[in-house]
Amino acid sequence: MTTPFDLDDTVALVTGGSRGIGRAIALELATAGAAVVPAARSTTELEAVAQEIAADGGDALPVTADVTDPNAVADAVDRAEAEFGSVDVVVNNAGFNPDDALGRPEGVSTADFERTLGVNLTGAYEVTTAAARSLHENDGGAVVNVASVGGLVGLPRQHPYVASKHGLVGLTKSLALDWAPDVRVNAVAPGYVSTDLTTELESNDRLRQSILDRTPLDRFADPEEIAGPVVFLASSAASYVTGSCLAVDGGWTAR
Ligand SMILES: NC(=O)c1ccc[n+]([C@@H]2O[C@H](COP(=O)([O-])OP(=O)(O)OC[C@H]3O[C@@H](n4cnc5c(N)ncnc54)[C@H](OP(=O)(O)O)[C@@H]3O)[C@@H](O)[C@H]2O)c1
């Protein structure tokens, strides 16, 4: 029996697929039946994810690539196509937040600002356009961008990150218009998720509590709780969904 959530005969490229949310997305896509190409800079962690997928009977090709390097991105898409024949789903998850280095906006250098946009926004653009031809082939593909609640509202002392994630939500909407009806383009906006990115935040009692006070579900998410909504948006269960940004934030933005 198949369901609209099945991703059999689908090839999914997941940037930042080596750990945290991206790792959970890669594993969940594989569980749904997709062949998965996790991409990141760290080879060892990527290979561990691929081995986990293979041990569960799935197909995976780990590809070392920095999303800020157009040649590496093109190579990742080429390798995915050579191994599996196409790229049907792109999940732009690679990202970082240099917030602890930040103070007042005027203290942030243009170079640091651009570095954040380079990974979180331009990197996603690079990967998506590199896969464009493949995404448009067959029955059409799907792009899922991992934005943030910082792509929906402002956050203090994080303006490069917030600008990059607002940009990513804007890119999602624009590409959805330009690529309809062939390719669907959506985003998720996670709230606070327990990963390496938030370890410091979670271990600071005052900051942690201030986040929980604003989170109706009263906890940080597990990475797996972001993966399910991504699989939904990648699958034909979301066949009439494009240009949307789904908040996966425990109710954080509902206040
Ligand atoms: N954790 C949260 O609370 C939260 C909330 C909202 C949104 N998000 C977003 O979710 C995404 C994943 O975050 P996470 O918490 O899972 O972070 P994480 O644990 O730090 O993982 C980040 C992933 O991105 C990869 N990456 C970073 N820079 C890269 C680059 N230049 N090229 C290729 N890969 C790169 C990392 O691998 P390498 O270092 O090996 O390259 C790693 O696989 C990010 O876009 C983040 O903004 C996270």
Side-chain angles (χ1 to χ4, degrees):
M1 195 179 78
T2 60
T3 80
F5 297 93
D6 286 339
L7 289 171
D8 292 331
D9 303 320
T10 301
V11 181
L13 172 62
V14 183
T15 70
S18 61
R19 60 174 191 268
I21 294 171
R23 172 182 171 276
I25 291 169
L27 295 176
E28 199 66 35
L29 287 165
T31 300
V36 179
V37 182
R41 295 166 301 178
S42 53
T43 308
T44 312
E45 288 176 309
L46 279 176
E47 280 172 356
V49 172
Q51 277 164 16
E52 233 179 302
I53 290 172
D56 221 25
D59 291 320
L61 174 72
V63 175
T64 308
D66 185 328
V67 297
T68 65
D69 176 349
N71 292 329
V73 167
D75 181 58
V77 171
D78 286 350
R79 288 187 56 197
E81 289 175 345
E83 180 79 11
F84 297 121
S86 62
V87 174
D88 311 300
V89 170
V90 168
V91 180
N92 287 304
N93 165 80
F96 80 110
N97 184 357
D99 62 341
D100 13 13
L102 300 181
R104 294 180 59 78
E106 57 272 32
V108 175
S109 69
T110 305
D112 280 343
F113 185 83
E114 286 184 338
R115 195 167 57 89
T116 312
L117 263 67
V119 177
N120 296 359
L121 177 56
T122 313
Y125 179 68
E126 196 69 51
V127 175
T128 307
T129 51
R133 190 188 46 78
S134 208
L135 285 167
H136 280 83
E137 281 173 1
N138 304 325
D139 289 335
V143 177
V144 184
N145 293 321
V146 179
S148 161
V149 290
L152 302 174
V153 298
L155 303 170
R157 293 180 307 283
Q158 301 185 46
H159 65 284
Y161 184 75
V162 166
S164 71
K165 293 298 186 178
H166 272 71
L168 190 56
V169 173
L171 180 67
T172 301
K173 293 177 185 174
S174 253
L175 289 183
L177 300 182
D178 289 335
W179 284 359
D182 299 332
V183 178
R184 294 179 304 101
V185 187
N186 291 289
V188 292
Y192 291 86
V193 187
S194 297
T195 69
D196 291 354
L197 202 65
T198 51
T199 306
E200 223 174 289
L201 198 63
E202 243 189 315
S203 60
N204 179 319
D205 287 344
R206 187 182 57 79
L207 286 176
R208 183 173 184 278
Q209 195 53 52
S210 73
I211 289 164
L212 295 185
D213 288 346
R214 276 206 56 178
T215 307
L217 293 188
D218 200 30
R219 59 183 176 81
F220 280 45
D222 290 326
E224 292 71 22
E225 293 178 287
I226 312 304
V230 170
V231 169
F232 160 65
L233 290 171
S235 74
S236 64
S239 56
Y240 202 59
V241 184
T242 198
S244 76
C245 181
L246 175 61
V248 190
D249 64 354
W252 195 87
T253 48
R255 287 194 186 277

